[in-house]
Amino acid sequence: MSIAGESTNWEPKILAFLCNWCSYAGADLAGTSRIQYPPNVRVIRVPCSGRVNPLHIVSALRQGADGVLVSGCHPGDCHYLSGNLYARRRFALLQRYLTYLGIEPGRVQFSWVSASEGGRFAEVVTEVTEAVRALGPAKRLNVRAESIVAPMELS
Amino acid sequence: MLPDEIRATIGEWLATGEVDLFIGWEPGTVPLTATPAFVRRPDEVDRLIWDATCEHNLARFVRPYRDKTVGIMVKGCDARALIGLMQEGQLKRERLRIVGIGCDGVIDPRRVCERAGVESVEELDGAQLEGDVVVFGDLRIPVAEILFAGCETCNQRDPQVYDLRMGPEHDETSLADRYAHVEAMAALSEDERWERFTSEIAKCNLCYACRNACPFCYCNVCFAEQTNPQWLTPTAHDPDVSFFQIIRTFHLAGRCVACGACTRACPQGVDLRLMLDKLCADVAELYDYVAGEDPEAKPPLTTYRQDDYNDFVL
């Protein structure tokens, strides 16, 4: 993997938080069904989309992810009944907030993918990857971006 | 301008043991800024004051004494913070004796600096508040012209909870331009918004004064100081500064009562209202919720509805 902006054959790096019960199983199904999807996602399995702290998402951008995908069970299908419903409120606010602050909206995306939706998982990953590819390497919030290596000058 | 009968009642509370501690304001050493006063004996009550320099949100200081009975003076916004802390189970109403004040807004010393043409608040040494006018040398500025920006658009000047009530009563004013600065930023292009955000945040040197002034920043270990995992380095480098500010403000989503204590506490003059008011506006729009109004209400991020806003999901 090259440092953002250095190489011409840049590939987006996307971090995906997948819930154990639905989306991770959906990704598994996509794999066992031999459905092709872009190899740009790095998956972190979490117990529930409700486990995903906005801190994790913004931290991923800070540490050099070009995009973040969070995927959980469809509303009403949560293994813990309501984890994804709490998560939905947080994510709605977070996405609007980051957009307001000037982070490109395509960088942080959310989806609901069930365990039986292997094809849907591949579609989501393709869609997110293409959106992030169109945006280019993430520079905002990224500690590795060239534009922000200079420390604040102390007077 | 603390009425004698209020002062007498506070003295009585302390004398009879009705309260163990009374938290108010007393004259401070920084020009045009009071300082929090912790009063434990009836004869100390004379120290207490109330005027437009009493900017601190005293709700911030109650929680360490929550096993005692605490008396406290609150403006409208501070009372909202108390309600928020009660909702979160941090304070109990029966352990509080609240002196509620109808507030016309507090002074922003930085605006006085602008008018006086000086660089820092320290240079305002000698400035005095005389009635409704700030006197500094030859300069006489009405308080109404140098209010904190958040106070100018405040529509909840009167406390919602109190045992004793003082100060004027207000009609509910319109919310119309409460979020004007947020809308102005939202109307910019994406690059301009990022530029606006980063230029504001560039002033921050990660001193955490905003966090320490905030009544809702009461985590025992703040994510900023966590070491395993370490989320950010404690140096004032971007993007760690932006990262800290984004996460700290987001922790206040649905909780921030827009008291402005953080913005006034900031030694660098970062306009945190620009960020926090966006969250307040979104919470009001998406979840029809205003923080600090109803002690029985559930904060929006601790509850859900089946038909919540879902359009943002792929």
Side-chain angles (χ1 to χ4, degrees):
Chain A
M1 276 296 141
S2 61
I3 289 173
E6 253 183 20
S7 164
T8 45
N9 47 11
W10 167 80
E11 280 289 323
K13 277 177 286 184
I14 294 163
L15 192 67
F17 293 98
L18 306 183
C19 96
N20 178 49
W21 305 98
C22 296
S23 295
Y24 193 86
D28 221 17
L29 183 63
T32 50
S33 313
R34 302 281 194 269
I35 301 171
Q36 289 288 320
Y37 60 82
N40 301 64
V41 288
R42 279 81 168 149
V43 174
I44 294 180
R45 179 164 63 161
V46 289
C48 175
S49 50
R51 171 65 185 93
V52 180
N53 188 330
L55 176 67
H56 301 150
I57 297 169
V58 184
S59 192
L61 293 176
R62 174 181 170 271
Q63 294 185 46
D66 297 307
V68 180
L69 168 69
V70 183
S71 189
C73 308
H74 287 273
D77 287 353
C78 179
H79 182 78
Y80 308 102
L81 306 178
S82 56
N84 57 355
L85 298 174
Y86 289 109
R88 179 163 66 175
R89 286 202 156 195
R90 284 202 291 276
F91 298 155
L93 282 175
L94 181 71
Q95 200 185 47
R96 280 177 164 228
Y97 191 46
L98 293 179
T99 304
Y100 171 79
L101 298 177
I103 311 283
E104 306 88 335
R107 297 245 184 248
V108 179
Q109 309 230 34
F110 304 93
S111 68
W112 309 130
V113 172
S114 83
S116 62
E117 293 177 321
R120 174 72 188 139
F121 179 78
E123 276 170 27
V124 165
V125 170
T126 310
E127 194 178 334
V128 171
T129 308
E130 289 319 310
V132 173
R133 194 188 299 281
L135 288 169
K139 294 217 166 63
R140 293 173 184 174
L141 289 180
N142 184 345
V143 276
R144 292 176 199 163
E146 290 159 43
S147 58
I148 39 181
V149 284
M152 189 177 126
E153 275 182 46
L154 296 174
S155 50
Chain B
M1 293 181 300
L2 201 56
D4 287 340
E5 63 271 21
I6 300 272
R7 208 181 284 275
T9 314
I10 296 169
E12 206 179 293
W13 282 349
L14 288 162
T16 58
E18 173 94 4
V19 299
D20 301 306
L21 167 71
F22 191 87
I23 308 177
W25 298 274
E26 63 183 320
T29 50
V30 178
L32 297 178
T33 311
T35 201
F38 292 73
V39 173
R40 290 181 173 80
R41 293 200 314 269
D43 58 325
E44 293 176 321
V45 171
D46 292 340
R47 281 160 56 195
L48 297 175
I49 58 163
W50 159 250
D51 58 33
T53 65
C54 297
E55 56 103 345
H56 307 83
N57 186 342
L58 301 178
R60 205 270 170 267
F61 303 108
V62 187
R63 197 174 157 273
Y65 304 101
R66 63 191 187 280
D67 54 343
K68 297 193 163 63
T69 310
V70 177
I72 182 172
M73 289 172 80
V74 290
K75 307 181 283 289
C77 49
D78 311 346
R80 297 202 298 278
L82 285 182
I83 291 175
L85 288 165
M86 287 180 219
Q87 282 176 322
E88 295 178 11
Q90 298 301 321
L91 301 177
K92 285 201 172 77
R93 178 70 183 91
E94 59 270 25
R95 288 202 174 269
L96 293 171
R97 299 293 177 273
I98 304 170
V99 179
I101 307 166
C103 168
D104 289 318
V106 296
I107 293 174
D108 183 353
R110 281 198 191 88
R111 291 186 76 180
V112 185
C113 290
E114 277 169 28
R115 294 284 291 265
V118 299
E119 292 272 308
S120 73
V121 176
E122 284 69 26
E123 291 173 56
L124 291 175
D125 204 12
Q128 291 292 333
L129 178 65
E130 291 175 10
D132 287 337
V133 181
V134 167
V135 182
F136 178 56
D138 299 335
L139 217 56
R140 293 178 64 84
I141 315 168
V143 167
E145 292 175 18
I146 45 165
L147 289 180
F148 175 64
C151 296
E152 288 186 325
T153 54
C154 176
N155 70 328
Q156 294 167 300
R157 293 160 189 270
D158 293 343
Q160 307 289 313
V161 282
Y162 53 84
D163 298 299
L164 289 178
R165 178 73 167 78
M166 57 181 270
E169 296 197 18
H170 300 85
D171 293 327
E172 287 263 314
T173 46
S174 153
L175 262 179
D177 42 37
R178 164 88 197 276
Y179 298 124
H181 56 305
V182 172
E183 282 154 17
M185 172 147 161
L188 300 174
S189 75
E190 190 174 280
D191 291 342
E192 288 168 336
R193 290 199 303 274
W194 178 251
E195 175 57 34
R196 176 84 185 82
F197 166 61
T198 46
S199 65
E200 201 61 45
I201 288 305
K203 302 178 206 163
C204 174
N205 60 5
L206 281 190
C207 72
Y208 305 140
C210 48
R211 180 193 71 186
N212 294 352
C214 178
F216 292 99
C217 270
Y218 56 72
C219 290
N220 287 338
V221 179
C222 176
F223 76 96
E225 280 149 0
Q226 228 175 313
T227 48
N228 189 13
Q230 185 179 32
W231 297 107
L232 68 154
T233 56
T235 49
H237 292 191
D238 225 1
D240 284 357
V241 178
S242 325
F243 179 76
F244 169 74
Q245 292 294 357
I246 291 175
I247 298 298
R248 191 196 82 88
T249 48
F250 196 78
H251 283 174
L252 293 160
R255 305 164 72 216
C256 175
V257 294
C259 66
C262 50
T263 309
R264 292 192 298 270
C266 180
Q268 302 287 82
V270 178
D271 184 10
L272 293 162
R273 294 174 56 247
L274 195 64
M275 306 168 71
L276 289 161
D277 279 352
K278 167 63 180 172
L279 291 166
C280 292
D282 275 357
V283 164
E285 185 191 330
L286 294 178
Y287 307 121
D288 191 23
Y289 181 88
V290 179
E293 284 199 329
D294 176 7
E296 302 303 317
K298 285 199 120 191
L301 293 186
T302 66
T303 183
Y304 60 86
R305 285 168 54 102
Q306 297 289 346
D307 60 350
D308 272 334
Y309 171 69
N310 195 57
D311 293 349
F312 69 102
V313 178
L314 280 176

